[in-house]
Amino acid sequence: MTIKLFDLAGAEPDLRFSPYCWRTKLALAHKGLAAETIPWRFVEKDAIAMSGQGRVPVLLDGDKIISDSWTIAEYLEDTYPARPSLFGSAQARRVTRFINSWADIVVNAALARLLLTDIYAHLHEKDRVYFRESREKRFGMPLEQVSADRDTRIAGFHESLEPARTVLTKQPYLAGDRPLYADYILFGCFMWARIISSFRVLTSDDPIHSWRERMLDAMGGLARNAPGNID
Amino acid sequence: MTIKLFDLAGAEPDLRFSPYCWRTKLALAHKGLAAETIPWRFVEKDAIAMSGQGRVPVLLDGDKIISDSWTIAEYLEDTYPARPSLFGSAQARRVTRFINSWADIVVNAALARLLLTDIYAHLHEKDRVYFRESREKRFGMPLEQVSADRDTRIAGFHESLEPARTVLTKQPYLAGDRPLYADYILFGCFMWARIISSFRVLTSDDPIHSWRERMLDAMGGLARNAPGNID
């Protein structure tokens, strides 16, 4: 039975920009598992109600229903142990959790501010009221103001990436000499930016930029060939 | 032949506060390796000149001379593979590098600002001119001003620890269910604060505080029993 994945989509159904869904899509590809993605919009809570929560990714594998990108990665690792490991070892999985936490709290939070108006611009019509209301409440200001200072804010974003930059000057991937889930976590953040916005979040002389190029080419260019804007 | 470790000391020779030296001392204890520590002060560059650089920790193991806490951890892991692993697996070692980078860039940099005047107060007389000049140059202001706003700055420090906090609500140690080098990295930062300052850098309801308590008790209370101030 084919694995199914509810995957956040924009106005165009093939515009798939969720950083968390990207982590899952890359994990599935790493495991060599085919999956059918189902375009999903923010307001379609009913479609994923069987997962007991309201966010994507939601993975359906036979009679299993799994949500949350980290939980899905653990599920795939435990359910398909004979396929290429996402973490490299049980111990590495536990340490990779820190990178997941850092990417969510530091990188995704910063990117949300930088990209908010671009995200809004690419949403399906039916998501717009929900998105505007929920994000204006979260940020405490009109949507258009949140990203307005991004040209000055980008320097702080670059600085916040320094822990990853330092690692990537020592080894080609966060996981070492080949990409693993540690890399998919952070790379998912940059796929969000790439697909939804033409705002350049990395300069071309940044070691993270070079790493991102390698990640775009990984697994047969899976990410590079995804529809969307290119920064 | 006994392993020797050059270990930063304050005015009192048994006041050992370097976060990087703490990482090494905890790594040695984890490996069950006895080591003789040699108190060292910032201006004693000649004593460690054989390492080709001017910072501690510097480890002497037979005819080997190794500097930099991360390099020392890798050296110990590779040289004593039959003893308890510092990383748990080769793959986990590569991912742990990110935590090392984050702790240096985010946590130690913030602690330096918060604790600078306390560090200065505990230095050996002969280190004071060097320390004041080098730190005033680095921070671009008089030493006493750097930590002056720490009561307001502490909130930002707490916030910057959120990636570790999130992990520590999911698992008891950064490395999982038992402490490994990933934990010694961050814990070394807090030993710096604990030994040099009475300024409280963690609130008692913080999951990181509970983790720090467990770390203080680890390996027979090695860290808890170290001489120094207690916050």
Side-chain angles (χ1 to χ4, degrees), chain A residues 79-201:
Chain A
T79 309
Y80 301 100
R83 290 172 176 267
S85 172
L86 287 171
F87 302 102
S89 75
Q91 185 56 53
R93 183 200 297 202
R94 299 189 188 98
V95 186
T96 300
R97 195 192 270 275
F98 184 88
I99 297 180
N100 199 71
S101 177
W102 174 80
D104 290 357
I105 293 164
V106 176
V107 185
N108 276 344
L111 283 175
R113 286 198 81 103
L114 295 172
L115 306 174
L116 202 64
T117 47
D118 292 323
I119 298 167
Y120 183 74
H122 286 90
L123 291 180
H124 193 281
E125 180 67 35
K126 65 179 170 181
D127 272 352
R128 296 200 169 189
V129 171
Y130 161 82
F131 190 85
R132 177 179 287 279
E133 285 183 355
S134 61
R135 269 51 177 182
E136 293 192 341
K137 188 176 173 194
R138 182 188 300 175
F139 290 101
M141 63 179 81
L143 204 65
E144 288 69 19
Q145 272 184 32
V146 177
S147 307
D149 60 349
R150 66 183 180 183
D151 289 331
T152 53
R153 196 178 281 274
I154 188 71
F157 176 68
H158 290 158
E159 193 184 334
S160 75
L161 296 172
E162 188 63 21
R165 189 174 294 115
T166 302
V167 170
L168 292 171
T169 59
K170 304 274 177 59
Q171 56 192 40
Y173 296 98
L174 294 180
D177 50 12
R178 70 211 156 106
L180 292 177
Y181 195 68
D183 295 273
Y184 303 148
I185 292 166
L186 182 59
F187 181 64
C189 308
F190 288 108
M191 284 305 289
W192 187 25
R194 177 181 166 92
I195 285 182
I196 212 71
S197 176
S198 56
F199 182 65
R200 294 180 68 87
V201 296

Side-chain angles (χ1 to χ4, degrees), chain A residues 70 74 87-103 174-175 181-182 185, chain B residues 70 86-100 102 163-164 167 171 173-183 185:
Chain A
W70 178 260
E74 294 206 300
F87 302 102
S89 75
Q91 185 56 53
R93 183 200 297 202
R94 299 189 188 98
V95 186
T96 300
R97 195 192 270 275
F98 184 88
I99 297 180
N100 199 71
S101 177
W102 174 80
L174 294 180
Y181 195 68
I185 292 166
Chain B
W70 178 260
L86 287 170
F87 303 102
S89 75
Q91 184 57 52
R93 183 200 299 202
R94 298 188 188 99
V95 185
T96 300
R97 196 192 271 274
F98 183 88
I99 297 181
N100 200 71
W102 174 79
V167 170
Q171 55 192 41
Y173 297 98
L174 294 180
D177 50 12
R178 68 210 158 106
L180 292 177
Y181 196 69
D183 296 274
I185 292 167

Side-chain angles (χ1 to χ4, degrees), chain A residues 12 15 31 37 51 79 128 146 152 155 169 203 209 217 231:
Chain A
E12 297 293 319
L15 206 67
K31 284 275 183 197
T37 64
S51 71
T79 309
R128 296 200 169 189
V146 177
T152 53
T169 59
T203 58
H209 186 278
D217 290 329
D231 79 335

Side-chain angles (χ1 to χ4, degrees), chain B residues 128-169:
Chain B
R128 296 200 169 190
V129 171
Y130 160 82
F131 190 85
R132 177 179 288 280
E133 286 183 355
S134 61
R135 270 49 177 184
E136 293 193 341
K137 189 176 171 191
R138 182 188 299 173
F139 290 102
M141 63 180 80
L143 205 63
E144 288 70 18
Q145 273 185 30
V146 177
S147 308
D149 61 350
R150 67 184 179 183
D151 289 331
T152 53
R153 196 178 280 275
I154 189 71
F157 176 68
H158 289 159
E159 192 183 335
S160 75
L161 296 172
E162 188 63 22
R165 188 174 295 117
T166 302
V167 170
L168 292 171
T169 59

Side-chain angles (χ1 to χ4, degrees), chain B residues 11 17 44 49 60 95 121 131 146 149 151 167 189 210-211 217:
Chain B
F17 55 94
E44 295 170 351
L60 309 182
V95 185
F131 190 85
V146 177
D149 61 350
D151 289 331
V167 170
C189 307
S210 317
W211 162 85
D217 291 328

